[in-house]
């Protein structure tokens, strides 16, 4: 546990892996709250999530009226965390990858690739 806190406090990423039901989500919430005072900055990752969706969104009414200005940006949890120096949690969707592997794991089979078994 101490290594996790030190890793996050030192501005490094932390990946929790394990079998379903081993409290990874709860642990990530507790760690985020301990390091940054909140665990509300969460991104729900899916297999089709793009990098842009993780970074920011646009208020399209302001975008059309004013063009691409900082006021037209809608902060994503990742951008909010970067601006405030807090921890953001990325939760994977259960449907994103079978057999409880994260979609970013090399061992996670993707469309068109052979299954590891």
């Amino acid at each position: 546990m101490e290594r996790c806190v030190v890793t996050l406090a030192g501005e490094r990423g932390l990946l929790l892996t394990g079998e379903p039901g081993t409290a990874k989500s709860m642990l990530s919430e507790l760690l985020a709250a301990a390091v940054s005072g909140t665990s509300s900055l969460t991104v729900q990752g899916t297999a089709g999530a793009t990098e842009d969706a993780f970074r920011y969104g646009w208020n399209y009414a302001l975008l059309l009226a004013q063009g691409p200005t900082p006021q037209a940006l809608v902060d994503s949890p990742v951008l909010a965390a970067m601006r405030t120096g807090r921890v953001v949690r990325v939760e994977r969707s259960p449907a994103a990858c079978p057999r409880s592997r994260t979609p970013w794991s090399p061992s996670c089979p993707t469309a068109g690739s052979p299954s590891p078994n």
Side-chain angles (χ1 to χ4, degrees), residues 13-108:
L14 178 67
L15 177 64
L16 300 174
T17 62
E19 295 298 316
T22 55
K24 296 176 298 295
S25 293
M26 184 174 73
L27 179 59
S28 73
E29 285 185 46
L30 294 172
L31 286 168
V35 172
S36 8
T38 183
S39 64
S40 64
L41 296 173
T42 305
V43 173
Q44 196 67 354
T46 62
T50 65
E51 183 180 343
D52 288 342
F54 278 77
R55 292 188 291 190
Y56 55 82
W58 292 104
N59 177 327
Y60 288 104
L62 285 176
L63 183 64
L64 291 173
Q66 301 174 357
T69 63
Q71 293 78 23
L73 276 177
V74 176
D75 286 5
S76 72
V78 173
L79 186 57
M82 290 171 63
R83 287 185 174 168
T84 60
R86 292 187 170 165
V87 173
V88 65
R89 299 171 46 242
V90 178
E91 287 281 334
R92 69 154 182 87
S93 169
C97 192
R99 302 202 317 279
S100 82
R101 294 187 178 129
T102 63
W104 305 281
S105 168
S107 61
C108 175

